[in-house]
């Protein structure tokens, strides 16, 4: 679990105009809430936030917010990004405490080599788990080593770290192992998609 310290400055300007000025200053408007406390409006360094999200934890990174007179632990809950530039537009942060559990989505990584005649179909890239706020796994592995076509891996078959439990149906299929199509089947499929009746020529006006 990655934990990153980041400065959080109080934000006194609100609305679209205030948010634009915050972003022009190289900061990201954010709201910190949870544990029955009133929401607090803060501004985070865009550069520091970007580096925090580049850790192995990704957007599940645990942030230690330096508020000047105090520190708080928080997890990113909702991240809004610019649709073209990809920059961070706004972040919702939820307060957490050491020792408490939180529900998060963690990524699945497929490892191992399946049967040579198999192809891997990932049905779910993430699974929802409950984990201690300070011990959220960076990801879970689904091993397909030696699996033959027709096999599958369900959420309940994933190896979970101590203290981590599933928050989804354990029967949900995470990875399917399918039979690789033969060369003839592949060529036939290409032929079906590449061939068709020629469109009738348009009449030329005289």
């Amino acid at each position: 679990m990655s934990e990153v310290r980041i400065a959080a400055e109080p934000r006194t300007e609100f609305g679209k105009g205030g948010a634009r000025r915050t972003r022009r200053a190289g900061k990201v408007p954010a709201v910190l809430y949870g544990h029955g406390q009133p929401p607090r409006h803060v501004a985070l360094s865009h550069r520091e936030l970007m580096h925090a999200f580049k850790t192995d934890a990704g957007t599940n990174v645990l942030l230690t917010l330096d508020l000047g007179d105090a520190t708080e632990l928080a997890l990113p809950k909702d991240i809004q990004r610019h649709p073209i530039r990809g920059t961070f537009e706004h972040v919702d942060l939820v307060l957490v405490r050491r020792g408490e559990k939180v529900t998060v989505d963690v990524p699945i990584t497929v490892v191992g080599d399946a049967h040579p005649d198999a192809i891997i179909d990932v049905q779910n890239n993430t699974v929802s788990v409950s984990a201690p706020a300070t011990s959220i796994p960076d990801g879970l592995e689904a091993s397909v080593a030696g699996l033959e076509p027709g096999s599958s891996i369900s959420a309940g078959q994933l190896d979970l770290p101590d203290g981590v439990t599933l928050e989804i149906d354990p029967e949900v299929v995470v990875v399917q192992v399918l039979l690789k199509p033969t060369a003839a089947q592949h060529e036939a499929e290409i032929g079906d998609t590449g061939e068709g009746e020629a469109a009738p020529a348009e009449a030329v006006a005289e």
Side-chain angles (χ1 to χ4, degrees), residues 89 102 139 202:
E89 296 279 285
V102 294
E202 294 184 2

Side-chain angles (χ1 to χ4, degrees), residues 115-161:
H115 190 278
D117 293 333
I119 56 174
I120 305 304
D121 179 25
V122 179
Q123 296 284 304
N124 288 281
N125 291 311
T126 63
V127 293
S128 181
V129 300
S130 175
T134 54
S135 301
I136 299 172
D138 294 337
L140 299 173
E141 293 185 346
S143 176
V144 297
L147 294 185
E148 297 186 354
S151 304
S152 64
I153 299 175
S154 65
Q157 293 175 293
L158 297 173
D159 187 16
L160 303 178

Side-chain angles (χ1 to χ4, degrees), residues 39-121:
R40 281 175 280 178
H41 298 266
V42 297
L44 311 176
S45 163
H46 189 283
R47 180 180 58 81
E48 291 180 8
L49 190 63
M50 181 176 63
H51 287 316
F53 289 157
K54 287 184 177 180
T55 64
D56 291 339
T59 55
N60 284 333
V61 61
L62 182 64
L63 298 175
T64 299
L65 301 176
D66 186 350
L67 298 165
D69 57 348
T71 60
E72 295 277 15
L73 288 177
L75 284 170
K77 192 67 174 177
D78 183 59
I79 303 165
Q80 298 176 21
R81 304 188 70 156
H82 191 281
I84 298 174
R85 295 192 294 269
T87 51
F88 301 113
E89 296 279 285
H90 188 274
V91 179
D92 283 344
L93 303 167
V94 61
L95 287 167
V96 297
R97 295 192 180 104
R98 296 187 187 278
E100 77 171 316
K101 281 196 167 187
V102 294
T103 299
V104 294
D105 291 337
V106 295
I108 298 295
T109 300
V110 177
V111 297
D113 296 320
H115 190 278
D117 293 333
I119 56 174
I120 305 304
D121 179 25

